[in-house]
């Protein structure tokens, strides 16, 4: 998200002439590869989910990467229930009625 001001960086993430690139980054509270800048034929993920501070989307959890014998990295998410990770804020107590002061 923050690299839009550096388009040559994003262009280079799409370069697979020397090797495949799997890029992990971002500063959003979500785990996905659908809301990121597209870098085909390479892959990228935003990996900031897990609740706590904030939730910017429904995919909260972490990303798992398994490196094969051919050095290819298979990725998949391990997500948690959004309502557990990012519960709604508590309902504020009802406002107190003020009693008029009698003079």
């Amino acid at each position: 998200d923050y690299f839009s001001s550096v388009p040559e960086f994003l262009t280079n993430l799409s370069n697979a002439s020397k090797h495949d690139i799997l890029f992990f980054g971002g500063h959003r509270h979500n785990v996905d590869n659908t809301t990121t800048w597209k870098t085909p034929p390479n892959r990228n993920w935003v990996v900031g989910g897990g609740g706590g501070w904030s939730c910017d989307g429904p995919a909260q959890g972490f990303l798992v990467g398994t490196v094969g014998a051919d050095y290819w990295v298979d990725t998949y998410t391990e997500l948690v229930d959004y309502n557990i990770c990012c519960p709604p804020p508590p309902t504020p107590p009802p406002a107190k009625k003020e009693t008029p002061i009698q003079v």
Side-chain angles (χ1 to χ4, degrees):
D1 293 353
Y2 298 103
F3 294 127
S4 61
S5 63
V6 193
E8 63 273 10
F9 179 76
L10 293 169
T11 299
N12 286 330
L13 283 178
S14 295
N15 182 344
S17 63
K18 294 183 181 179
H19 48 77
D20 295 319
I21 297 173
L22 178 55
F23 179 74
F24 306 95
H27 185 93
R28 271 188 284 129
H29 306 102
N30 205 46
V31 177
D32 70 74
N33 63 352
T34 59
T35 63
T36 60
W37 287 94
K38 304 305 177 222
T39 59
N42 297 314
R43 302 172 292 151
N44 66 71
W45 287 83
V46 60
V47 289
W53 178 256
S54 177
C55 296
D56 294 328
Q60 299 297 311
F62 58 92
L63 183 71
V64 176
T66 305
V67 182
D70 61 353
Y71 302 107
W72 179 259
V73 181
D74 284 314
T75 57
Y76 63 92
T77 57
E78 285 290 336
L79 302 178
V80 297
D81 183 308
Y82 179 83
N83 293 316
I84 293 172
C85 194
C86 305
T91 305
K96 291 183 179 180
K97 286 186 175 182
E98 291 191 28
T99 307
I101 300 174
Q102 300 208 0
V103 188

